[in-house]
Amino acid sequence: MSSLRMTSDLRRQLILGAAKRCFARHGYTGTTTKSVAAAAAISEGLLFKHFPSKAALYAEILSDECEADPALTELLEREPSTATLVEVIRGMVQHFLHIADGPDQEEAQRLRLMATSHLDDGEFAQLLYAKIETLIGAIFLASLERAVAAGDARACSGEPLNLFWFAHHTVMTAALTRLPATPCLVYGKADDLERQLCEFLLRGIGLNDAAIASHLGHDQAADVGMTAIAESA
């Protein structure tokens, strides 16, 4: 049984390796499950036993890339806390705001694919949301709980994970406005936009101004006054 499982795992990795090469060479649209199967030297039917669709293949590759990101690994290994919660939000904001600046535009193409999926059958978006929740959901929820216990945030009256999704959707929409060569909307200076988004999201998930000033940093939480410092959760 063990050897069969290892053989299946190895074949899955070989398929992913072939898919990465195909996506890199032909892009998402130009890659087919048939071409991936040929590159992996297997039948298309066997590929479908491991991955039900091209979207599932692509989502798995993105998940692997995220798990291999040293910055994300470091974040996920942190002790849940108010500071970790702030870093989760800051990292999300920085990632999305700089998507359009990437030299190879690979991240921009992925964001376009995500947006298109919402208007199509939604399969790719559903798969990616599931991967994101698996990767980041637990540290977000644990850190939010610690922030509430520390008096840095108010308790959520609804589903706490929704706060994460509300933040994610907000920054994703902001990033979409910046994808065209001429942005759809000009928010203002990039540095100021990052600060405003961080503050907006952190307040939205329940952090008080004193916690934001303490953990976001004076360079970003620029306008939090002494009155806010004395504010209770």
Side-chain angles (χ1 to χ4, degrees), residues 79-92:
E79 186 72 19
S81 65
T82 303
T84 299
L85 182 63
V86 170
E87 286 309 308
V88 169
I89 295 300
R90 192 207 308 262
M92 187 189 303

Side-chain angles (χ1 to χ4, degrees), residues 91-108:
M92 187 189 303
V93 169
Q94 290 176 342
H95 169 75
F96 276 99
L97 287 189
H98 294 293
I99 281 179
D101 302 331
D104 56 9
Q105 290 296 291
E106 186 175 354
E107 288 291 341

Side-chain angles (χ1 to χ4, degrees), residues 29-105:
T29 303
T31 298
T32 65
T33 51
K34 184 174 293 186
S35 65
V36 172
I42 61 171
S43 68
E44 193 174 13
L46 184 55
L47 182 149
F48 286 138
K49 287 184 178 180
H50 294 271
F51 300 96
S53 65
K54 182 172 72 168
L57 255 175
Y58 196 65
E60 187 70 20
I61 289 171
L62 293 187
S63 177
D64 285 351
E65 290 179 355
C66 287
E67 289 176 347
D69 183 349
L72 181 58
T73 300
E74 188 274 334
L75 180 62
L76 297 179
E77 290 176 348
R78 286 188 177 199
E79 186 72 19
S81 65
T82 303
T84 299
L85 182 63
V86 170
E87 286 309 308
V88 169
I89 295 300
R90 192 207 308 262
M92 187 189 303
V93 169
Q94 290 176 342
H95 169 75
F96 276 99
L97 287 189
H98 294 293
I99 281 179
D101 302 331
D104 56 9
Q105 290 296 291

Side-chain angles (χ1 to χ4, degrees), residues 89-90 92-101 167 170-179 183-203 216 219-223:
I89 295 300
R90 192 207 308 262
M92 187 189 303
V93 169
Q94 290 176 342
H95 169 75
F96 276 99
L97 287 189
H98 294 293
I99 281 179
D101 302 331
T170 298
V171 291
M172 186 169 69
T173 302
L176 285 172
T177 68
R178 298 157 64 89
L179 280 185
C184 306
L185 178 65
V186 178
Y187 288 100
K189 295 182 295 183
D191 290 344
D192 191 54
L193 174 59
E194 184 177 313
R195 176 187 62 79
Q196 283 188 304
L197 260 176
C198 284
E199 289 187 1
F200 177 79
L201 297 176
L202 290 169
R203 289 189 179 110
L216 187 59
D219 56 329
Q220 290 200 310
D223 299 320

Side-chain angles (χ1 to χ4, degrees), residues 17-28 30-32 35-37 39:
K20 287 177 184 178
R21 295 192 297 273
C22 289
F23 286 128
R25 186 175 301 118
H26 305 294
Y28 183 83
T31 298
T32 65
S35 65
V36 172

